[in-house]
Amino acid sequence: INNTLDIFKMEKGMYYLDDHDIELIETFRAIIFETKSLQKVKNLHINLNLDGKAVDDDSKFHAKGEEMLFYSLFGNLIKNALEA
């Protein structure tokens, strides 16, 4: 419900971004973990790369934004890609 209200506010120009430093690799790892069952059903595997190399435990990629919005955006994109 909160995401729907946020989208409504964005469309009306009433949304105020509360941005923070976000570690996107951790966000992607969480999404990949969450979609493991769908990956298995579709016989697919997601590789996470940064600058053409597989990410490791030391890899970092920071961005400014709201973590939940990033998670929702990329989570939906990845789920849609897996389902297609």
Side-chain angles (χ1 to χ4, degrees):
I1 292 173
N2 287 337
N3 284 345
T4 302
L5 290 174
D6 288 345
I7 291 170
F8 174 78
K9 289 178 185 177
M10 288 175 201
E11 290 171 347
K12 298 296 180 188
M14 300 170 13
Y15 186 80
Y16 296 99
L17 182 66
D18 184 21
D19 64 337
H20 300 282
D21 195 31
I22 300 167
E23 174 36 56
L24 286 179
I25 290 177
E26 291 304 316
T27 302
F28 279 110
R29 283 183 174 139
I31 293 167
I32 291 167
F33 180 79
E34 182 183 294
T35 60
K36 280 290 187 197
S37 62
L38 183 56
Q39 293 174 54
K40 188 174 182 177
V41 167
K42 295 286 191 165
N43 197 28
L44 297 170
H45 178 76
I46 297 173
N47 293 316
L48 190 55
N49 296 304
L50 180 62
D51 292 330
K53 299 176 187 171
V55 298
D56 57 26
D57 291 339
D58 296 328
S59 298
K60 303 285 183 209
F61 189 85
H62 296 274
K64 286 277 194 193
E66 291 188 37
E67 188 168 8
M68 196 63 209
L69 292 177
F70 272 104
Y71 190 90
S72 296
L73 170 76
F74 290 117
N76 285 332
L77 285 172
I78 290 171
K79 276 190 202 174
N80 289 344
L82 289 169
E83 289 172 352

